[in-house]
Amino acid sequence: MKKPLIFLTGILLLAGLSSLKKGYKTPLYKDEHAPIKQRVEDLLKRMTLDEKMMQLSQYTFGLNDNPNNIEREKSTLDPRVGSLIYFGNDPILRNEIQKRAIEETRLGIPILFGFDIIHGCKTLFPIPLATGCSFDTALARKACEIAARESYLSGINWTFSPMINIARDPRWGRISEGYGEDPYTTSMFAIASVKGYQGNKNIIDSLHIAATLKHYIAYGLSEGGRDYTYTDVSRQALWETYLPAFKAGVDAGAKTVMSSFNDISGTPATINKYLLTDVLKNDWGFKGFVVSDWDAIAQLMAQGVAKDSMACAQKALMAGTDMDMLDGIYEQNLKELLKEHRVTMQRMDDAVRRILTVKFQLGLFDHPYTPVIPASQRYLQPHARTIASKLAAESMVLLKNKKNILPISSSVKSIAVIGPMVKDSFDLMGAWRGRADVKDVESIYTALQEEFNGKISLHYAKGCDFDSKDKSDFDSAIQAAKISDEVILFLGEKNGWSGENASRSNISLPKVQEDLIKAIKEKTGKPVILVLNNGRPLALANIEPDVNAILEAWQPGTLGASAIAGILSGRINPSGKLDVTFPLTTGQIPVFYDMRQSARPQSGIYQDLGTNDPMYWFGYGLTYTTYHFGKVKLSATSIKKKQQLIATVHVTNTGTRDGEETVLWYISHPEATISRPQKELKHFQKLGIKAGQTVTYKFVINPKAVLAYPNDKGESILEAGDYYLMVGNQKLRFELRN
Ligand code: BGC
């Protein structure tokens, strides 16, 4: 046994000696043990201008997965490319491409493979807007960890997620991709996602991938909710509403940031030096790199700030955009721009350095290849399924439950299950489906059959399509309702109605769906439970009076259907609360919980609505049990700026079912130099409470972190005066002294 080993060692020694003789030496950047900083500098010194330009460029691979196309792409690919958006599903192909970068290029710089893993890879979790309603950041982090593992094993090292754009206009389709309207909630989910994707360490191990904070910034404020449009945003709003989640994500260690498409008050994000360089890189000390959005550098011409592609490249690079997604503008123009002294070598090197650093941190130089294990061990593992199922359940919000019609009573023997969503798994997936396959997604019908397993008979009718003029199936829906004790309607939106480039001018359910609800109500008088699957808040005022219960189930992903069935049957006690306000009508937009106070709060009301209240506020959500909140206790009623205030409240589950309750702690500051929102969420905590049990929730108020607010330069202001702490229906005054 030993002989071959001695022989092999001998050969290696000889090979080593001969390479020494020839003066070969492993370059420092290839030394796994050298510090990353030194490796980056060593590599940078060796790179030609062309090699640098390639590092700053990102293209796609496999967008069209026709085998002929893949072969063509393989043959035309320049393996010196910095990054590829990898649409393939196959680590073997990915490794084949990587091998070319490692073995066929002069310096062997690995390619960074990115992809949009927004709410799961093969195991789909609920859309982020739903996940926010769970208020369970620990669970969201686990979901991102699973997404990272599945992505890594499919060949991806970098996801373009989390999307942390605050969205207060549900007409905007991309509201589904973020965590709702609130800066604090979004910040907490930003941190959880970054840690979930990347793990805790600076050097990312093989089960994690790099995260992207996107889209930087104020993209959710697009005019009229239309995608890609202008956003008029004040510096004050930037600092208090739109920047905090990005700051939280940067502090959590996010490796990359994606600039947004939108023009921000005259300066598109892609060339916004103030935001990209002054704030992000200089003030916040962000060491990762900024990637543009898809084709966004070229689109600067359409936005009216660059006359040609040279100007696009120059403005974007010099403002701080490091990597060019897709349009090839850096690769085509930077050489010429350098010659003309319109960009600096220093800025180019800075961009390359940032990209190389992330590649080293990901371990790509030392472990460029994805381990190839059978797909059956890569995806949809039992742990992944458990987390997907729990998160789906926790993200659903019970909006109405008249006379406790839910959970379905044991006296119910038959149910009519009606609606276009009943047998349609595809539209439970939501926008950005990662690598998920519809065949892995449960259908509501199957989940109900399993849940009620012969105890309740189900009478199915489709009733109508998502949006059409055809009412020919209304009759069979009415018949199904007539022969059943209760009716459950499964309505909502198709996948493509939210997500990118999917804005809607009217956020009510399409007329045919509203008419179906009314027809069933009028023609049968049976109790109606409405289950909604959608990617945005809906305006429900037209139909809310016609239904006895509403469950907002969102687009819940692979295991969402059994979570719906579990909530309907009572196996699961709903615990979600809205992370976004539901307006009464589309015309009421914008309406969100932390608006500023009006000069005449009792007036200025829409005449046709008679109220300025929405249908459901942020934070709203019912449960099957009851909670009693004790009196909130404060450790003091007056503190100095350097002291802490501790607030506690005992919450008792006074019902008969175990539950999970989220306590939302708000602050208001009624007299400030710069007016403050009516109230601002500053802390939340979700705890399980068994029936009959009392638990204590706690909020530590550190004035600098909780009570200070930014001015329009981002400077933090902490003012003495009166503050209010609000929790449930209690409001307590306390004083802050100098
Ligand atoms: C979207 C980004 C996405 C990118 C890459 C763009 O159109 O705005 O969110 O990450 O494409 O797919």
Side-chain angles (χ1 to χ4, degrees), residues 3-73:
K3 267 191 190 151
L5 201 67
I6 295 169
F7 179 67
L8 192 69
T9 320
I11 292 204
L12 286 177
L13 258 174
L14 279 179
L17 280 177
S18 75
S19 68
L20 269 184
K21 238 194 283 164
K22 287 184 200 144
Y24 292 158
K25 203 170 144 233
T26 311
L28 180 63
Y29 77 91
K30 291 201 167 165
D31 177 359
E32 209 176 322
H33 304 292
I36 287 182
K37 231 175 152 179
Q38 290 178 20
R39 297 178 78 180
V40 171
E41 292 311 318
D42 179 66
L43 178 53
L44 194 61
K45 272 195 300 215
R46 298 168 191 266
M47 292 171 76
T48 62
L49 184 55
D50 283 325
E51 284 162 348
K52 288 180 186 176
M53 287 189 329
M54 288 308 291
Q55 280 307 302
L56 304 185
S57 305
Q58 181 185 55
Y59 297 104
T60 61
F61 193 95
L63 186 54
N64 168 349
D65 66 357
N66 177 302
N68 291 338
N69 183 58
I70 297 283
E71 284 313 309
R72 193 182 45 77
E73 281 197 290

Side-chain angles (χ1 to χ4, degrees), residues 85 116 160 174 214-215 258 261 293-294 325 432 500:
I85 303 183
D116 289 280
F160 309 132
R174 304 200 80 169
K214 78 181 189 189
H215 311 81
M258 185 187 293
F261 286 119
D293 205 340
W294 183 287
M325 185 186 284
W432 300 104
E500 186 175 351

